[in-house]
Amino acid sequence: MTFDRCVAICQPLRCAAIMKPQLCIHLVVAPWVTRFTLLSYHLVILSQLTFCDSNEIHRFFSPLFKLSCSDTRLLWKVDSVFLSFVILGSLCLTLAFYMCI
């Protein structure tokens, strides 16, 4: 958690007042809700794929795409966009907090 470190370093005397239990709960729950929401699109698109060859899968998502007879380009594009959003978003947020420190 970068936010709590930023508060502890930049405003040490107000840290206890800012970091209330409700805020801590929000800081823990928000990434879980975001990840669940971003993963749900993946499961919806996966549920619409059709399969025609072997049903043996050694890992999960990538081999599942290869087994599918359906066109999986949309799923790869959506995955790339959301993955970029998540990685770049968390990187920018971390950098912003460290710039405040």
Side-chain angles (χ1 to χ4, degrees):
M1 296 181 109
T2 307
F3 177 74
D4 62 339
R5 292 181 187 144
C6 180
V7 170
I9 293 171
C10 295
Q11 300 175 353
L13 298 177
R14 295 184 56 212
C15 184
I18 294 173
M19 295 301 296
K20 295 180 181 176
Q22 185 178 7
L23 178 61
C24 292
I25 291 171
H26 288 309
L27 289 174
V28 170
V29 170
W32 282 87
V33 170
T34 303
R35 180 62 184 146
F36 179 76
T37 304
L38 292 176
L39 185 62
S40 64
Y41 81 92
H42 201 267
L43 296 176
V44 169
I45 296 175
L46 274 175
S47 68
Q48 297 173 357
L49 295 177
T50 58
F51 301 97
C52 54
D53 281 342
S54 170
N55 60 359
E56 185 176 330
I57 301 173
H58 298 290
R59 292 180 307 276
F60 191 61
F61 288 120
S62 294
L64 193 59
F65 297 154
K66 293 176 185 173
L67 285 176
S68 176
C69 297
S70 305
D71 184 21
T72 58
R73 287 182 288 173
L74 174 67
L75 190 56
W76 284 110
K77 289 178 185 176
V78 170
D79 269 354
S80 299
V81 168
F82 278 118
L83 191 60
S84 300
F85 172 74
V86 169
I87 290 173
L88 290 176
S90 61
L91 177 66
C92 290
L93 190 62
T94 303
L95 285 175
F97 284 130
Y98 276 109
M99 286 171 52
C100 290
I101 293 173

